[in-house]
Amino acid sequence: MLTQWLRKFFGNNNSYILQQAQSIVHNINKIEPKMIKLSDQKLQNKTQKLRTLIQQGIALNNILPEAFAVVREASKRIFGMRHFDVQLLGGIVLHQNCIAEMRTGEGKTLTSTLPAYLHALKGNGVHIVTMNDYLAKRDAQINKPLFEFLGLTVGLNAAHISIEKKRQAYLCDITYGTNNEYGFDYLKDNMIFSKKDCVQRSLDYALIDEVDSILIDESRTPLIISGPIESSSKIYYKINTVVLSLLKNNIKNVKNKYFSVDEEKKQVYLTDIGLIKVEKLLVQNKILNYQESLYSSNNIILLQYVSVSLRAHKFYFKNIDYIINSKHEIVIVDEHTGRIMTGRRWSEGLHQAIEAKENVYINDENKTLASITFQNYFRLYKHLSGMTGTAITESFEFNKIYNLNTVLIPTNKPMIRKDLPDLMFFNEQQKYRAIIQDIQNCVKKKRPVLVGTISIEKSEKLSTLLKNKGIIHNVLNALSFDREAEIISEAGKKGSVTIATNMAGRGTDIVLGGSFINTELNIFSSKLHDQKKFFYQRKKWKQDHDFVVSVGGLHIIGTERHESRRIDNQLRGRAGRQGDPGSSRFYLSMDDSLMRIFASKKIQMILKKLGMYSNDAIEHPLINKAIENAQHTVENRNFEIRKQLLEYDDIINDQRFVIYQERNHILCSDNINKNIYKLSCDVFKNIIKPFVIDQVYLNYSGIQKIEEHLLKYFNMNINFIKKCKLNNKIDYKFYINFVFDFFNYFYKNRKEKIGKKKFNKIEKNIMIKTLDIFWTDHLASMDHMKKSIHLCGYVQKDPKQEYKKEAFIMFLSMLKALKKEVVILISEFIFNKKFVYN
């Protein structure tokens, strides 16, 4: 109550930001009459004038009103569309490093042109980030005429294009691409062996479309570039046989169960009886020798194989979590968007376990060569902003992780969609019966319906039920993703029925009456001369549009609640665009995953109190509240998972920064003699120091052991005692200088014989390749440590602190070993004339 009173009295952050932005919109509108009077050429000249002002040190905030007014006027002339005031508000918010929540149909694509143009004037490049290649290509093509009219270049960073084309795309003023492409390009740029192969410029300004999906949903899966390691595919087939036996014989009696299942955390835990059974099955299947122990250091890995195989069987299902494509490959289905994730694989052997489960070809496990989370990648940008239709529910996380405020932009026209209360049923059969009845009622009225499902399996099941009733419909899921835009754009036609998974129309508006408005824009921009056909099409669309409006607009049906409120809001948001009528209703049952795992006990108690019967549909505010609490529980759990992932990655991110900085320094240096000299000094000192007596002297036996070591590992045949004819103690500093002089003499001599340019290239290759090898090995070691660090909790130690401490020790150890290996390879090249380094 106190918080509400304070907000009412003082206002909240959202209203404050909008008030500030509204005054800027007023200034933009004052400039508009002057812009209207300008010729095309004078309007285009504004770009160079604004760039000159920036070069003179004028801040972007000071030129923003004029820049936005230029874009608005150009848009009127190129597209025939004038930015609404609320779109100007959105553009200002995006410039201010905030997230703009704009409802579906409010024109986010056009809004993005405002801050993109403003930041492009700096000349550092603007990255517009989309969810998939289709949206990147579409948005680039739509906005390209506007930007080119204003003298800016537009590039498309698509997948599977050449390095040269990528480089050209990044050199453009504004570059469109997917989050995966930007992230992988960053990692690849830090794996190259020549600076000319680098494609990205500095990371200055990123504008992320569907920011909640990219920075929240996608952030649980880090970007990983990997390479193959020694094949272990056969073991997964054998372990799958063991697990099938375990599943078949698992006893329902709690006391005698082989394993327990935690659906909330998606984990399977073997019981003591289960471990004994697993050991017997492993012996029976000749995976484990009869006299060997499952708990020996050589065999403990088998338990991990069993655990991951159990998870594959209990929690990952065909046509829900993955599909099998025409090439008989396991392809992941994104749980949040419903889209297929081509090229992505589950880690830690899970993908191989699922391949064994489905009896398809098992690809070898991979070794991580480079990785980064989306959180840490996008935090590299100097300026970051994003837009979406659903961000408010995650505003705390955006602020906590990315330091981004979330601002709710008002709609251009009042929202009149009716969001009806949820209906609860006792079982799934009753729920589907009610859904079919609702669809039939809409079909009779010729009212368009969009039905949202959470998986391919559920969408196909509902499709079968509709076919049995003779209802014509379209199905949009990961199996029909190539027709996504086409299906969704026609979902507003009168009488149309569309079933869609969570991907429901991302980036494509559902227009009441059909997609004629999009056609009209194409006709406008291409100046089609067939006026009769044009006016006939427009008249026909207007009649259909008015009819759909008269019957209530688009009706949204949710077949169950998603774990995240955002996904539900995205589905609802397909109706009610730009003041259109519409309605939405969710149908639930006690069989739904969310109800069964997170809310069943609470809901059942409410049902008993209400005294409802099994055949009734239940509609009550208490039901909605319980569902919201269940979703909130899941959202908090997922936030903790993402937060923990980031906390662990932050530790390695500091190390990644050091390694990448050193790598880029080596790549950009024409001469790395100083680096080699410094490395050799450190290495030789570390070798000699253990033999120093009283911090001053070296004796005969110490020198002898040092020189044996130098000969064995560095091919340096010094023979200091023989050459100097000294048998007594020798000064430590004198001897170090002698070793350095010996190394430098042969170093310079070899360099002169080969040539400076070629020698420098060899040195750089040695340093970079060795650095990469040690870094990838270090990543693997860190990954192994992260899997087992939770065991520290059993001895009352904080796993994160222990991980941080051990990571630091491992990193220092890795750097020490890296330096020695570089000097060994350089020495081998210097002192062994037969040695050739490729």
Side-chain angles (χ1 to χ4, degrees):
M1 289 293 292
L2 179 61
T3 304
Q4 291 175 356
W5 182 84
L6 289 171
R7 283 181 178 175
K8 188 176 180 180
F9 189 79
F10 293 105
N12 57 26
N13 191 46
N14 192 87
S15 61
Y16 174 76
I17 292 172
L18 286 178
Q19 284 174 9
Q20 297 291 105
Q22 192 62 57
S23 63
I24 301 172
V25 171
H26 180 69
N27 293 334
I28 297 168
N29 290 334
K30 284 202 303 187
I31 300 172
E32 188 174 18
K34 296 179 183 178
M35 294 295 169
I36 293 171
K37 295 176 183 178
L38 295 176
S39 65
D40 284 357
Q41 185 61 52
K42 287 184 177 179
L43 185 65
Q44 290 169 325
N45 290 342
K46 284 286 185 182
T47 297
Q48 188 53 49
K49 289 179 180 177
L50 292 170
R51 274 182 164 162
T52 303
L53 289 173
I54 291 172
Q55 290 167 3
Q56 292 172 353
I58 305 299
L60 288 185
N61 287 336
N62 294 333
I63 66 166
L64 184 149
E66 188 174 2
F68 278 26
V70 168
V71 177
R72 176 193 258 182
E73 183 58 32
S75 176
K76 283 160 58 180
R77 299 183 189 188
I78 301 300
F79 298 141
M81 292 188 291
R82 177 182 177 274
H83 291 77
F84 300 130
D85 281 2
V86 291
Q87 289 175 314
L88 295 179
L89 281 175
I92 293 164
V93 165
L94 292 171
H95 160 67
Q96 294 173 338
N97 297 340
C98 293
I99 290 170
E101 177 172 313
M102 300 178 69
R103 295 289 178 90
T104 301
E106 292 296 306
K108 290 190 286 290
T109 304
L110 190 63
T111 300
S112 68
T113 59
L114 299 163
Y117 173 78
L118 179 64
H119 281 266
L121 295 172
K122 294 185 290 183
N124 298 327
V126 169
H127 294 173
I128 297 181
V129 188
T130 64
M131 278 287 293
N132 56 52
D133 287 324
Y134 162 74
L135 291 176
K137 185 178 180 181
R138 187 204 68 175
D139 291 355
Q141 288 175 342
I142 288 174
N143 290 329
K144 191 173 183 179
L146 172 64
F147 289 130
E148 289 186 340
F149 174 81
L150 293 171
L152 301 180
T153 55
V154 178
L156 177 62
N157 178 27
H160 311 302
I161 61 174
S162 65
I163 290 175
E164 185 54 40
K165 286 184 178 179
K166 271 189 177 289
R167 189 179 298 109
Q168 291 303 317
Y170 278 112
L171 287 172
C172 291
D173 295 307
I174 298 168
T175 307
Y176 285 84
T178 65
N179 50 316
N180 288 336
E181 283 304 304
Y182 287 121
F184 281 129
D185 287 342
Y186 169 76
L187 292 175
K188 288 172 185 174
D189 276 356
N190 286 285
M191 296 175 70
I192 56 175
F193 290 94
S194 174
K195 204 63 186 173
K196 65 181 181 181
D197 294 329
C198 186
V199 295
Q200 283 189 344
R201 293 193 284 168
S202 61
L203 303 178
D204 184 63
Y205 177 66
L207 196 167
I208 305 174
D209 191 15
E210 304 297 353
V211 66
D212 54 328
S213 289
I214 291 173
L215 295 189
I216 301 294
D217 300 334
E218 292 278 319
S219 65
R220 286 174 63 180
T221 308
L223 290 171
I224 298 173
I225 293 178
S226 56
I229 57 175
E230 186 179 348
S231 176
S232 59
S233 59
K234 290 182 181 179
I235 190 67
Y236 284 100
Y237 287 123
K238 293 179 180 179
I239 294 295
N240 189 62
T241 305
V242 170
V243 167
L244 286 173
S245 298
L246 205 65
L247 291 167
K248 186 178 179 181
N249 298 313
N250 194 33
I251 302 167
K252 291 184 178 179
N253 187 338
V254 177
K255 292 182 179 179
N256 298 317
K257 265 189 158 185
Y258 293 144
F259 58 84
S260 61
V261 175
D262 187 337
E263 290 190 77
E264 186 176 340
K265 295 180 180 178
K266 284 193 174 183
Q267 290 293 337
V268 179
Y269 303 101
L270 286 164
T271 61
D272 292 339
I273 297 170
L275 289 166
I276 294 168
K277 182 67 176 176
V278 166
E279 194 168 41
K280 287 179 180 178
L281 289 170
L282 290 171
V283 171
Q284 287 174 15
N285 286 274
K286 297 180 180 179
I287 302 169
L288 186 69
N289 292 329
Y290 178 71
Q291 295 180 339
E292 284 187 320
S293 170
L294 181 58
Y295 305 99
S296 68
S297 58
N298 294 330
N299 297 324
I300 198 71
I301 188 68
L302 293 174
L303 271 178
Q304 293 183 27
Y305 286 135
V306 172
S307 177
V308 78
S309 184
L310 276 169
R311 286 179 62 215
H313 279 274
K314 297 301 293 183
F315 298 118
Y316 294 86
F317 303 102
K318 182 181 173 183
N319 290 339
I320 296 177
D321 303 291
Y322 59 88
I323 62 170
I324 301 175
N325 66 12
S326 57
K327 297 178 182 178
H328 301 288
E329 298 170 326
I330 301 294
V331 183
I332 300 171
V333 175
D334 191 313
E335 64 175 307
H336 301 288
T337 66
R339 289 190 174 94
I340 59 172
M341 302 171 74
T342 306
R344 298 285 284 274
R345 291 177 64 83
W346 281 297
S347 60
E348 299 177 3
L350 178 59
H351 211 97
Q352 285 79 9
I354 292 171
E355 286 168 333
K357 169 189 167 185
E358 296 293 347
N359 198 28
V360 299
Y361 176 77
I362 297 179
N363 290 280
D364 291 339
E365 288 186 76
N366 290 322
K367 178 182 180 180
T368 300
L369 303 178
S371 71
I372 193 169
T373 58
F374 281 119
Q375 293 107 316
N376 275 323
Y377 171 70
F378 282 110
R379 291 196 302 187
L380 292 170
Y381 283 87
K382 293 178 184 175
H383 307 282
L384 183 66
S385 66
M387 53 187 185
T388 182
T390 47
I392 288 295
T393 55
E394 310 296 338
S395 57
F396 174 78
E397 184 167 350
F398 282 126
N399 187 266
K400 181 82 173 174
I401 305 296
Y402 304 99
N403 197 28
L404 296 171
N405 287 323
T406 303
V407 181
L408 180 61
I409 306 299
T411 55
N412 184 49
K413 294 180 180 179
M415 172 66 72
I416 58 172
R417 184 185 69 233
K418 296 178 182 178
D419 294 326
L420 304 171
D422 297 353
L423 286 180
M424 172 67 73
F425 295 85
F426 277 87
N427 58 55
E428 194 173 64
Q429 187 179 0
Q430 294 166 3
K431 179 180 74 172
Y432 277 115
R433 195 181 299 132
I435 290 170
I436 297 296
Q437 184 62 53
D438 197 353
I439 294 170
Q440 287 177 321
N441 292 337
C442 290
V443 170
K444 285 177 184 177
K445 296 177 185 177
K446 293 187 178 180
R447 184 182 180 188
V449 185
L450 175 65
V451 186
T453 63
I454 68 165
S455 69
I456 300 168
E457 183 185 50
K458 295 292 174 70
S459 64
E460 296 294 331
K461 180 178 180 178
L462 186 59
S463 176
T464 302
L465 293 173
L466 290 178
K467 284 176 184 176
N468 294 337
K469 294 288 183 180
I471 299 173
I472 299 170
H473 61 281
N474 285 316
V475 179
L476 175 58
N477 55 37
L479 300 176
S480 58
F481 71 96
D482 52 331
R483 295 180 58 229
E484 176 179 344
E486 176 193 344
I487 293 172
I488 286 298
S489 63
E490 296 303 314
K493 275 188 174 181
K494 67 177 183 180
S496 69
V497 178
T498 308
I499 302 172
T501 53
N502 301 332
M503 66 172 65
R506 283 296 187 91
T508 307
D509 282 343
I510 297 177
V511 181
L512 299 187
S515 61
F516 177 73
I517 284 183
N518 293 333
T519 308
E520 184 178 3
L521 290 176
N522 292 335
I523 291 169
F524 181 88
S525 60
S526 59
K527 298 179 181 178
L528 187 69
H529 297 294
D530 191 354
Q531 295 295 323
K532 288 183 179 179
K533 183 179 179 182
F534 170 75
F535 285 116
Y536 172 77
Q537 287 179 337
R538 186 169 66 177
K539 184 179 179 182
K540 179 70 170 62
W541 171 82
K542 188 71 169 60
Q543 289 173 348
D544 290 346
H545 174 269
D546 291 345
F547 176 83
V548 173
V549 169
S550 69
V551 295
L554 179 67
H555 181 49
I556 302 292
I557 295 176
T559 58
E560 60 185 276
R561 285 284 191 171
H562 196 272
E563 287 185 355
S564 171
R565 288 170 291 171
R566 285 184 301 105
I567 309 299
D568 294 340
N569 291 338
Q570 286 164 7
L571 178 60
R572 272 189 169 139
R574 309 315 304 171
R577 63 180 292 280
Q578 287 292 324
D580 286 338
S583 60
S584 70
R585 182 175 313 259
F586 281 83
Y587 290 82
L588 314 174
S589 79
M590 295 306 298
D591 296 332
D592 296 347
S593 297
L594 184 71
M595 298 295 101
R596 184 168 45 80
I597 300 171
F598 296 101
S600 57
K601 291 180 181 178
K602 292 181 180 178
I603 297 289
Q604 285 172 2
M605 286 174 63
I606 294 170
L607 298 185
K608 287 178 181 178
K609 286 180 181 179
L610 293 174
M612 306 304 290
Y613 296 97
S614 59
N615 292 324
D616 294 331
I618 304 153
E619 178 184 324
H620 197 279
L622 287 174
I623 300 288
N624 294 341
K625 186 66 178 175
I627 293 163
E628 187 178 331
N629 289 338
Q631 289 178 311
H632 193 62
T633 300
V634 182
E635 287 167 357
N636 286 340
R637 185 202 66 182
N638 290 338
F639 170 62
E640 286 302 320
I641 292 171
R642 291 188 292 267
K643 183 183 173 186
Q644 188 175 62
L645 175 69
L646 182 61
E647 286 172 347
Y648 279 101
D649 192 65
D650 278 343
I651 294 166
I652 203 166
N653 194 52
D654 295 335
Q655 299 177 3
R656 185 189 295 117
F657 178 78
V658 171
I659 294 295
Y660 285 178
Q661 191 179 49
E662 182 62 27
R663 201 179 189 281
N664 286 325
H665 172 71
I666 295 166
L667 274 178
C668 296
S669 299
D670 296 325
N671 191 329
I672 59 168
N673 288 354
K674 289 182 180 178
N675 297 66
I676 299 297
Y677 180 77
K678 187 179 178 182
L679 283 177
S680 61
C681 285
D682 290 342
V683 170
F684 293 140
K685 281 180 180 178
N686 287 333
I687 292 168
I688 295 168
K689 272 185 178 180
F691 300 96
V692 177
I693 300 169
D694 297 330
Q695 300 181 348
V696 179
Y697 299 107
L698 289 166
N699 60 22
Y700 176 85
S701 62
I703 293 172
Q704 194 174 28
K705 287 177 182 177
I706 290 166
E707 291 182 358
E708 285 173 1
H709 186 91
L710 293 175
L711 180 62
K712 181 180 178 180
Y713 291 100
F714 299 88
N715 210 30
M716 292 171 62
N717 191 6
I718 295 180
N719 286 325
F720 173 81
I721 296 173
K722 187 176 180 181
K723 288 177 183 177
C724 298
K725 297 178 181 179
L726 294 171
N727 293 321
N728 298 324
K729 293 179 181 178
I730 192 73
D731 183 70
Y732 155 65
K733 290 182 181 178
F734 178 81
Y735 184 72
I736 280 184
N737 290 331
F738 184 88
V739 174
F740 289 160
D741 291 342
F742 183 90
F743 178 83
N744 285 327
Y745 172 79
F746 283 93
Y747 177 80
K748 290 175 182 177
N749 188 40
R750 188 80 154 131
K751 187 175 183 179
E752 288 174 6
K753 285 182 180 180
I754 293 175
K756 290 182 180 180
K757 192 172 182 180
K758 186 177 179 181
F759 192 81
N760 285 336
K761 187 178 179 181
I762 292 168
E763 282 182 316
K764 286 173 77 170
N765 283 341
I766 287 173
M767 286 195 73
I768 290 171
K769 286 183 179 180
T770 309
L771 181 68
D772 288 347
I773 291 168
F774 274 78
W775 175 240
T776 54
D777 287 343
H778 178 68
L779 286 176
S781 299
M782 293 284 285
D783 191 45
H784 289 311
M785 181 176 68
K786 187 162 67 174
K787 290 175 186 176
S788 58
I789 199 69
H790 67 278
L791 296 172
C792 292
Y794 291 110
V795 290
Q796 307 301 313
K797 290 184 179 180
D798 183 359
K800 290 173 191 172
Q801 289 300 318
E802 291 301 308
Y803 181 80
K804 189 174 184 179
K805 186 168 69 176
E806 289 298 321
F808 181 70
I809 294 168
M810 287 168 64
F811 187 64
L812 291 181
S813 178
M814 184 269 288
L815 290 178
K816 188 176 179 180
L818 168 65
K819 290 177 183 179
K820 186 174 181 179
E821 185 64 21
V822 169
V823 177
I824 286 172
L825 289 171
I826 295 288
S827 300
E828 183 73 9
F829 183 67
I830 293 168
F831 297 105
N832 186 355
K833 294 181 181 179
K834 294 180 182 179
F835 177 77
V836 177
Y837 185 83
N838 293 319

